[in-house]
């Protein structure tokens, strides 16, 4: 209800999470797949990244932050969020 408009979107993405602890650290599928939207909101946080999960009601929702670390490569966008 607080979404003002969709800034940009992609029809399909697969989310991965970086597991840094344990005996075999690395990228793991997050069981989150579907369209991704960068949305502008009417209130803070003013921008969010949202993946509408086609497998469940547990969508990926991250507030954009200027301190994000971004790594953009062909077919991949990696970002690190605040703890």
């Amino acid at each position: 209800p607080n979404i003002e408009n969709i800034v940009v979107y992609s029809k399909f993405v697969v989310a991965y999470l970086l597991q840094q602890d344990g005996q075999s650290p690395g990228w793991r599928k997050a069981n989150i797949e579907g369209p991704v939207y960068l949305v502008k909101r009417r209130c803070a946080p003013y921008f969010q990244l949202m993946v509408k999960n086609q497998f469940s009601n547990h969508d990926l929702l991250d507030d954009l932050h200027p301190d994000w670390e971004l790594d953009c490569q062909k077919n991949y966008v990696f970002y690190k969020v605040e703890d």
Side-chain angles (χ1 to χ4, degrees):
N2 290 324
I3 294 175
E4 186 174 307
N5 69 317
I6 296 171
V7 177
V8 67
Y9 73 95
S10 179
K11 292 180 182 179
F12 185 78
V13 298
V14 177
Y16 287 80
L17 298 174
L18 180 59
Q19 181 179 349
Q20 296 180 312
D21 301 326
Q23 294 189 10
S24 59
W27 292 98
R28 307 282 186 265
K29 270 192 165 181
N31 202 29
I32 300 172
E33 297 181 14
V36 61
Y37 302 93
L38 175 60
V39 297
K40 182 177 180 186
R41 296 168 31 94
R42 291 182 180 90
C43 57
Y46 290 104
F47 292 93
Q48 288 182 317
L49 184 76
M50 176 176 55
V51 179
K52 289 293 288 174
N53 193 0
Q54 66 184 13
F55 295 128
S56 72
N57 290 333
H58 299 285
D59 300 330
L60 175 65
L61 187 63
D62 281 326
D63 302 338
L64 268 66
H65 192 277
D67 291 336
W68 271 17
E69 293 179 33
L70 287 175
D71 181 7
C72 301
Q73 300 177 16
K74 184 176 179 177
N75 298 322
Y76 296 95
V77 175
F78 300 95
Y79 65 93
K80 181 179 178 183
V81 297
E82 295 181 304
D83 291 335

